[in-house]
Amino acid sequence: MPDLDVVNLCIIAGGTLAIPILAFLASFLLWPSALIKVYYWYWRRTLGLQVGYADCGGYRFCYSYRGKPGMRPSILMLHGFSAHKDTWLTVVKYLPKHLHIMCVDMPGHEGTTRTNIDDYSIQGQVKRIHQFVETIRLNRKQFHLVGTGMGGNVAGVYAACYPSEICSMTLICPDGIRHPCETKFDNHVQDLEHSNYTLNIPLIPTTPEEMEDMFKLCSHVRFKIPQQILQGLVDVREPHNTFYQEVFMEIVGEKSRYALQDHLHLITTPLQVIWGKQDQVVDVSGAAVIAETLSECRVDLLENCGHSVVMERPSRTARLILEFIILQQNARSGTKKAT
């Protein structure tokens, strides 16, 4: 009976389609953290990024990469506090595929080794990143360094300590500056200090509600994130919260809080600063502080944008970085021809 065959075929087809749909719904409702990990894996694969590991003296760095060293300088990207290498996926999406890009998990974060004896101060992280650069021999040729937030603080100090390795640098809303205007986050930190750090740290959420508050603090653009995804993000981060607290105490401590500003006078590499005008974590007035010390630095201020520049303005950020790299490379070529 042909009609029965059609019905059976429809049932089989429907059942086949239902399995992945049900699996997706189950993951979304029951295991959102697993879905988030799959999401990052799929996005890396779609963008052509591979995950690699670099081992040095019992210490392992985890990083993602795309492309090979070529005419343009390689780009090394350092993420912010409590984030990971996949933070940069939104920006990498808009960068040319022929560029050699590397996004490393910062010391102790995600897939990079975490130890109880490591120094997670800004200076300690700089030493570890230099160890990574030497291990993968990235410094055989000068490269472009990018850092955001805590990663911007580390990148700036790195450029001050190892100037011969960097051809140019982009700092995005970097920590480590004595900005003249206080932010909402500065007020939180003051409250934390007065409570002897017994209050919750806004950048270390433990509930979906606190996660939503963190997004509101870090982003001027309001993203509508489902409750299940917020819970998944909390679940992914929860096992690492004790470590994040340790790192937080290090980077707001006396040794690290203004590390970038203390090293500004040592930075000789061409510098680009990108900052969201509505940053509530690190005030945009920090850009003027940097420009005052390094008068030739390029400053790009983004309207209607907060601290999470790479999430809020990924296309614009990628374009600005690429323009700056090309500008500096052309300037170096012009100088060589002149001599």
Side-chain angles (χ1 to χ4, degrees):
M1 297 243 267
D3 289 344
L4 186 59
D5 290 341
V6 171
V7 170
N8 287 336
L9 185 62
C10 289
I11 291 171
I12 293 169
T16 303
L17 289 171
I19 291 172
I21 291 171
L22 289 172
F24 173 81
L25 289 173
S27 296
F28 181 73
L29 296 171
L30 301 176
W31 306 289
S33 59
L35 187 63
I36 289 166
K37 291 178 181 179
V38 171
Y39 167 77
Y40 283 130
W41 170 84
Y42 177 77
W43 203 0
R44 283 197 303 268
R45 187 179 177 88
T46 301
L47 294 177
L49 284 159
Q50 295 179 291
V51 174
Y53 297 92
D55 295 297
C56 180
Y59 194 91
R60 167 170 281 196
F61 297 93
C62 180
Y63 62 99
S64 57
Y65 64 97
R66 186 176 75 183
K68 295 180 179 180
M71 185 181 72
R72 302 288 183 205
S74 299
I75 303 174
L76 175 61
M77 309 180 110
L78 310 181
H79 64 73
F81 169 73
S82 77
H84 45 75
K85 59 186 175 296
D86 295 325
T87 297
W88 297 106
L89 291 173
T90 50
V91 174
V92 170
K93 176 183 177 181
Y94 295 101
L95 289 172
K97 289 193 173 180
H98 67 270
L99 288 179
H100 181 222
I101 299 168
M102 311 196 77
C103 311
V104 64
D105 283 327
M106 296 295 282
H109 288 70
E110 194 74 7
T112 293
T113 297
R114 179 181 304 169
T115 70
N116 294 326
I117 59 172
D118 241 21
D119 177 6
Y120 292 107
S121 68
I122 296 302
Q123 291 85 344
Q125 293 192 59
V126 166
K127 290 176 183 176
R128 280 298 189 191
I129 294 301
H130 186 243
Q131 183 183 21
F132 169 72
V133 166
E134 289 197 314
T135 300
I136 63 170
R137 301 179 70 188
L138 185 63
N139 53 359
R140 286 180 297 179
K141 181 181 176 184
Q142 288 189 324
F143 58 92
H144 182 83
L145 185 59
V146 183
T148 183
M150 178 190 76
N153 198 348
V154 173
V157 176
Y158 189 102
C161 295
Y162 306 102
S164 63
E165 297 184 359
I166 313 296
C167 61
S168 50
M169 176 171 62
T170 301
L171 302 182
I172 304 173
C173 305
D175 297 344
I177 295 293
R178 293 182 180 87
H179 42 269
C181 302
E182 288 191 346
T183 64
K184 189 175 180 180
F185 181 68
D186 290 327
N187 295 330
H188 280 303
V189 172
Q190 289 172 13
D191 291 341
L192 281 167
E193 289 172 342
H194 293 149
S195 72
N196 200 24
Y197 294 95
T198 56
L199 296 176
N200 285 346
I201 299 170
L203 299 181
I204 308 178
T206 57
T207 66
E209 292 73 26
E210 289 179 359
M211 179 64 71
E212 190 170 28
D213 288 341
M214 186 184 78
F215 277 115
K216 289 178 181 177
L217 175 67
C218 295
S219 173
H220 179 72
V221 176
R222 293 291 177 255
F223 297 97
K224 291 185 178 179
I225 304 173
Q227 190 75 5
Q228 288 87 351
I229 296 299
L230 290 171
Q231 182 62 60
L233 291 168
V234 170
D235 292 343
V236 167
R237 293 167 60 98
E238 195 277 331
H240 311 289
N241 281 350
T242 300
F243 166 72
Y244 294 152
Q245 289 171 359
E246 178 186 345
V247 176
F248 181 82
M249 296 300 289
E250 283 282 2
I251 63 177
V252 300
E254 186 177 346
K255 184 179 177 182
S256 296
R257 184 174 290 193
Y258 304 117
L260 175 55
Q261 181 146 357
D262 294 341
H263 287 78
L264 280 179
H265 67 287
L266 297 173
I267 295 176
T268 57
T269 187
L271 172 63
Q272 173 187 46
V273 175
I274 301 175
W275 219 303
K277 281 191 173 182
Q278 283 71 39
D279 193 334
Q280 297 184 87
V281 179
V282 187
D283 193 76
V284 66
S285 58
V289 174
I290 296 173
E292 188 176 339
T293 303
L294 303 171
S295 58
E296 294 187 8
C297 85
R298 169 175 167 173
V299 176
D300 293 293
L301 304 183
L302 308 186
E303 295 282 355
N304 300 314
C305 183
H307 187 66
S308 301
V309 170
V310 297
M311 185 170 66
E312 298 177 71
R313 296 287 184 269
S315 175
R316 180 82 191 280
T317 302
R319 187 167 67 251
L320 288 171
I321 292 172
L322 186 59
E323 285 175 0
F324 185 69
I325 289 173
I326 293 173
L327 180 68
Q328 295 306 316
Q329 194 170 28
N330 289 342
R332 288 192 298 275
S333 297
T335 302
K336 286 179 181 178
K337 287 179 182 178
T339 55

